[in-house]
Amino acid sequence: MHTLVTIHNAIFGLVEKAGSWLLPLAARFVFAATLLLYYWNSGLTKLGDGLFGLFSPSIGAYSQIFPKQLEAVGYDVSEFGVFHQLVVLAGTYAEFILPLLILLGLFTRLASLGMIGFIVVQSLTDVIGHGATDAKTLGALFDRFPDSLIMDQRLFWVFVLAVLVVKGAGALSLDKILKRRLETVPM
């Protein structure tokens, strides 16, 4: 029995060491493979026409972020103020910048925290703004159904991002390169 425990500890000791650099890399890979293009495509739907569309969000952006308010003003975006435009622009830019930072492994912990906040706001907007309150979409924890959009799916998204907040970007990242450079720079 002692031999089995020793073998077990030796094998899983190596797994734990490898996990310190492999787990964050795997979390970034999973994020990139499942959510990177999801958020970039969502961001593209919010851009206005042409080059200056970066500064002039589409009506789709307002309908995604402020659905009830847009309906209340008869879908006339000109009725919105600077605050609404800034919120829409910030949300749009976040959908491009935060996933890119995670992909590159640059400021990964902050970008992951930002994405967690983004997912919380996205979920609240879906529930409050779009009325996604049906049991199938909203779901519930511990309900034996793993397929709800908000409670189940987004919990997994947040978990992957939480791994990055706790562990950082891992060995293959710009964060690691910056850390090495800062350690070699004399003070």
Side-chain angles (χ1 to χ4, degrees):
M1 185 66 170
H2 178 67
T3 305
L4 283 176
V5 171
T6 303
I7 292 170
H8 171 274
N9 291 344
I11 291 171
F12 287 102
L14 293 172
V15 168
E16 190 172 337
K17 276 185 180 178
S20 293
W21 64 268
L22 186 60
L23 186 62
L25 183 61
R28 284 180 37 231
F29 175 81
V30 168
F31 177 85
T34 59
L35 293 174
L36 178 77
L37 293 179
Y38 167 82
Y39 279 108
W40 282 358
N41 283 327
S42 177
L44 287 172
T45 67
K46 293 176 178 75
L47 296 177
D49 294 329
L51 179 62
F52 293 106
L54 288 170
F55 310 106
S56 177
S58 70
I59 191 168
Y62 289 94
S63 69
Q64 290 177 46
I65 298 173
F66 296 111
K68 289 182 179 179
Q69 293 92 330
L70 186 63
E71 185 178 358
V73 297
Y75 298 95
D76 182 4
V77 176
S78 67
E79 293 292 318
F80 282 122
V82 174
F83 169 77
H84 290 96
Q85 185 176 10
L86 290 175
V87 169
V88 169
L89 287 172
T92 301
Y93 298 155
E95 285 188 296
F96 291 110
I97 295 168
L98 295 175
L100 179 63
L101 290 173
I102 292 169
L103 176 69
L104 297 172
L106 181 62
F107 308 121
T108 307
R109 287 185 162 119
L110 289 174
S112 297
L113 274 173
M115 283 304 306
I116 289 170
F118 193 95
I119 291 168
V120 168
V121 170
Q122 175 186 8
S123 299
L124 289 171
T125 301
D126 286 344
V127 172
I128 297 166
H130 296 285
T133 56
D134 61 287
K136 180 75 175 145
T137 303
L138 184 58
L141 299 178
F142 309 106
D143 66 351
R144 80 180 172 87
F145 301 109
D147 58 347
S148 73
L149 176 67
I150 295 177
M151 293 299 284
D152 296 325
Q153 192 178 86
R154 294 189 184 162
L155 183 61
F156 278 110
W157 297 2
V158 168
F159 178 77
V160 167
L161 292 163
V163 167
L164 294 172
V165 170
V166 172
K167 301 290 274 177
L172 299 174
S173 67
L174 293 177
D175 285 344
K176 191 68 163 184
I177 292 169
L178 287 174
K179 183 179 178 184
R180 282 190 199 132
R181 285 192 177 239
L182 287 174
E183 288 172 351
T184 60
V185 173
M187 294 291 216

